[in-house]
Amino acid sequence: NTLCYLTLTHMSILLNSTVTGKQLNCVTGPDEMAVAGLAMGSHGAIGSTYNVQPKLNVAMHQAFRKGDVNAATELQVMFL
């Protein structure tokens, strides 16, 4: 079972997944929140620049998955 939930804050995502014990598939909205969203447990992001800069987006996600949050953050800033 997957719980669908719409929230305005990443803390809400974390708290609801902890309280309900359900698996959440969450995405972050604003481009400038992508790395913060990943750090809070989101599975991806829906932003306005990702489709026009896909290589940069993939590089940001790869850096984060490798644990290099600084590199991911630097790449995220390049979107803005």
Side-chain angles (χ1 to χ4, degrees):
N1 291 339
T2 300
L3 176 67
C4 296
Y5 182 75
L6 177 63
T7 183
L8 299 176
T9 67
H10 292 91
M11 186 54 77
S12 295
I13 294 170
L14 179 63
L15 291 175
N16 281 287
S17 63
T18 302
V19 171
T20 63
K22 302 253 183 192
Q23 179 180 351
L24 299 175
N25 185 356
C26 303
V27 293
T28 304
D31 296 354
E32 62 273 11
M33 294 295 296
V35 175
L38 291 170
M40 290 297 295
S42 69
H43 296 96
I46 302 171
S48 56
T49 60
Y50 305 131
N51 291 327
V52 295
Q53 296 178 318
K55 291 180 182 179
L56 191 57
N57 182 36
V58 170
M60 177 185 67
H61 280 268
Q62 288 175 337
F64 183 84
R65 299 286 180 230
K66 290 178 183 175
D68 193 348
V69 178
N70 289 334
T73 303
E74 289 173 10
L75 289 162
Q76 174 185 280
V77 170
M78 296 173 82
F79 281 110
L80 308 176

